[in-house]
Amino acid sequence: MKILLEMGDITRKHVDVIVNAANKTLLGGGGVDGAIHRAAGPALLACCSALGGCETGEAKLTPGFNLPASYVIHTPGPVYSAAQHAQSVKLLENCYWNSLSLADQAKCRTIAFPSISTGAYHFPVVDAARIALRTLVRFGKERAINLQAATMVLFDPETYRAYQFAMKELWDELK
């Protein structure tokens, strides 16, 4: 599976599925979650209301409605806790892994992720980038059947640079 980094607006990505860094209610919120709900239109909220929420690290699939993506996968990321670092890491890994699994099961070929939990949930960006990219690589090697490309769509230059740094580290490890 090819892994790409780009700066931009995930709501404008023409991919099979985009991932929403949702809250546990799945009813919209701030940041990327609010942007996805606004771009998809009110039908997304109605659909999410019927899902009954989602636990941290799990993932649920909905149609994309007015988005260029066919689907949205909603995954609530962890609120970062330094005191519970290992648990925060595992939950963030689960967000990426479960989203990838759901996309692959839905026969999606392309997926786009935001940087999950690095905004209002305060996950350190460099750590989150390492976790995201390592999970994408591992899934691509171990499980991907349909997925051919995963793009990290990053909203600001600081986050983009953190992912570039993590990508270089990972590249050096894989040599």
Side-chain angles (χ1 to χ4, degrees):
M1 181 174 69
K2 186 169 29 171
I3 300 170
L4 306 163
L5 305 179
E6 71 178 51
M7 236 176 83
D9 179 350
I10 198 166
T11 67
R12 298 177 186 269
K13 278 300 286 180
H14 290 268
V15 291
D16 294 329
V17 61
I18 63 170
V19 176
N20 181 13
N23 59 47
K24 293 198 286 187
T25 69
L26 304 183
L27 302 180
V32 72
D33 189 15
I36 288 171
H37 272 268
R38 283 188 300 278
L44 181 61
L45 179 59
C47 184
C48 286
S49 294
L51 295 177
C54 186
E55 291 301 313
T56 302
E58 298 301 315
K60 293 192 176 179
L61 181 78
T62 65
F65 297 103
N66 296 336
L67 293 162
S70 298
Y71 301 104
V72 178
I73 291 176
H74 307 268
T75 185
V79 175
Y80 182 75
S81 167
Q84 296 181 325
H85 179 76
Q87 181 181 8
S88 294
V89 167
K90 186 62 182 163
L91 288 170
L92 188 58
E93 287 173 348
N94 288 347
C95 287
Y96 286 97
W97 189 270
N98 291 329
S99 295
L100 289 162
S101 294
L102 201 51
D104 206 53
Q105 289 167 18
K107 300 193 182 334
C108 294
R109 290 173 293 118
T110 55
I111 187 169
F113 286 93
S115 183
I116 299 169
S117 285
T118 58
Y121 289 1
H122 305 293
F123 212 106
V125 177
V126 173
D127 290 343
R130 289 177 179 131
I131 292 162
L133 295 172
R134 283 192 176 111
T135 305
L136 294 176
V137 167
R138 187 166 59 94
F139 187 89
K141 287 181 176 179
E142 295 176 14
R143 293 275 308 277
I145 296 168
N146 298 296
L147 279 171
Q148 297 171 5
T151 304
M152 295 299 309
V153 181
L154 309 160
F155 191 70
D156 62 81
E158 180 184 330
T159 305
Y160 183 77
R161 283 191 296 273
Y163 276 78
Q164 283 182 310
F165 178 78
M167 182 74 92
K168 183 184 180 328
E169 278 185 341
L170 190 58
W171 182 257
D172 289 345
E173 285 176 22
L174 296 173
K175 284 185 185 175

